[in-house]
Amino acid sequence: MADLSPAAIFSPSVAKKQRAIAKDWSYVDDWLVAKFKGKLPLSFERNGDTLKALLALASFNESADEEDALMLRVESKALENLQKEAANDRNRDLIELLDRSLTRDGKSSLDAISNLSVAINRPLPRIEALGQKIIDLQVENDILDQTSDRIKILETHLNTELENIDILREDLHSPSYQPKADLVDSVINHQLKIKEIISSLPERQDRLALLSTTYANQPKITIQDVNLAENKLKELSNVVRELEKQVLSFHGLPKDTNLARLELENKKAELFSLIKTRDEMFEGLVEKKGRKGI
């Protein structure tokens, strides 16, 4: 009860929780003392997170210790069984005789085959199988070498691209890509224009609605109406051309009507004078021809 807080005295649930925490800390302390071989571990902060981490570590360590102990018992049992089988093997004398009869090269070859069988996980070595396995390993080694060369080439390309990226990054930080000095003023002006447009938007919408209403009340124009209007336009164009031709005949006359009439009378008098002169000249020619004929 001395380790309990004052709140635990009046709350059974708090007291139970604190007893469980104290029990966990006691377990952790015993485990640490065992791991440090009786020496006190370094001081550390005692809180909930530390307790949780140490409990997980202790549990994992105990599981690993149990697995190691189990593996040790299995290996010891297997070694004991092998020793018993070797002691009871009827061919033991023959094997020992063969071992003594082998030459140095024979022993070296046998050791090489044994080591190779263990290395490639072939408990029952056969020369053909070992040879095939060696060939497969050589092929796999060649494939790995080719893959390694390709990776080196790819690494070279990647390094080149990284260098290009660094150059591009330096270019982007150069003065050519820096914003203009008047960028802030330009942005402010654009913002003001946007605000003006937004403020005038309701008025424009009202105008658009008014125009829509006005055009909605007007009769709809069909393609036939357009064709008729086009034909009338062509007729009017022809009339205009005729009038222009008539107007050209009055080219050079004054704009005043009276002056134009006076000019017209003068032109008529001049025309009559020319006609009279022509007639007189014609009569003179006729008389000359008549005299020559006489």
Side-chain angles (χ1 to χ4, degrees), residues 246-257 259-265 267:
Q246 294 179 9
V247 169
L248 288 175
S249 62
F250 296 99
H251 181 69
L253 293 176
K255 295 182 179 180
D256 186 62
T257 306
L259 294 176
R261 288 177 180 175
L262 180 60
E263 183 70 21
L264 182 60
E265 293 296 334
K267 294 294 182 181

Side-chain angles (χ1 to χ4, degrees), residues 5-140:
S5 63
I9 299 175
F10 302 99
S11 177
S13 60
V14 175
K16 183 178 180 181
K17 183 177 180 181
Q18 289 190 358
R19 281 195 296 270
I21 294 174
K23 184 178 179 181
D24 291 338
W25 275 117
S26 177
Y27 167 74
V28 169
D29 290 336
D30 294 339
W31 176 72
L32 289 174
V33 170
K35 290 300 175 184
F36 282 90
K37 297 180 180 180
K39 297 180 181 180
L40 294 176
L42 298 176
S43 60
F44 55 88
E45 183 179 357
R46 292 175 175 265
N47 53 36
D49 294 334
T50 305
L51 177 61
K52 184 177 180 181
L54 290 175
L55 285 173
L57 182 60
S59 177
F60 178 78
N61 184 260
E62 287 185 355
S63 299
D65 291 341
E66 291 177 357
E67 291 179 0
D68 291 341
L70 180 61
M71 289 296 297
L72 181 60
R73 288 197 297 271
V74 171
E75 290 176 356
S76 299
K77 185 66 175 177
L79 180 60
E80 184 180 353
N81 293 333
L82 289 175
Q83 289 175 350
K84 288 181 180 180
E85 290 178 359
N88 298 327
D89 191 2
R90 291 177 295 178
N91 297 323
R92 181 179 180 181
D93 295 336
L94 178 60
I95 293 173
E96 291 179 353
L97 178 61
L98 290 174
D99 185 49
R100 288 193 300 270
S101 300
L102 287 174
T103 62
R104 181 179 298 178
D105 294 337
K107 289 182 179 181
S108 299
S109 300
L110 184 60
D111 291 338
I113 293 174
S114 301
N115 294 330
L116 181 61
S117 300
V118 173
I120 63 177
N121 194 19
R122 292 285 182 179
L124 299 176
R126 290 185 296 109
I127 301 301
E128 296 82 358
L130 293 177
Q132 184 63 41
K133 186 64 176 179
I134 292 173
I135 293 173
D136 294 339
L137 290 175
Q138 184 63 40
V139 171
E140 185 177 355

Side-chain angles (χ1 to χ4, degrees), residues 201-211:
L201 186 60
E203 182 181 356
R204 296 176 184 272
Q205 290 177 347
D206 294 338
R207 291 182 181 178
L208 180 61
L210 180 61
L211 291 174

Side-chain angles (χ1 to χ4, degrees), residues 204-223:
R204 296 176 184 272
Q205 290 177 347
D206 294 338
R207 291 182 181 178
L208 180 61
L210 180 61
L211 291 174
S212 300
T213 305
T214 303
Y215 284 107
N217 296 329
Q218 293 181 356
K220 295 182 179 179
I221 299 175
T222 62
I223 297 177

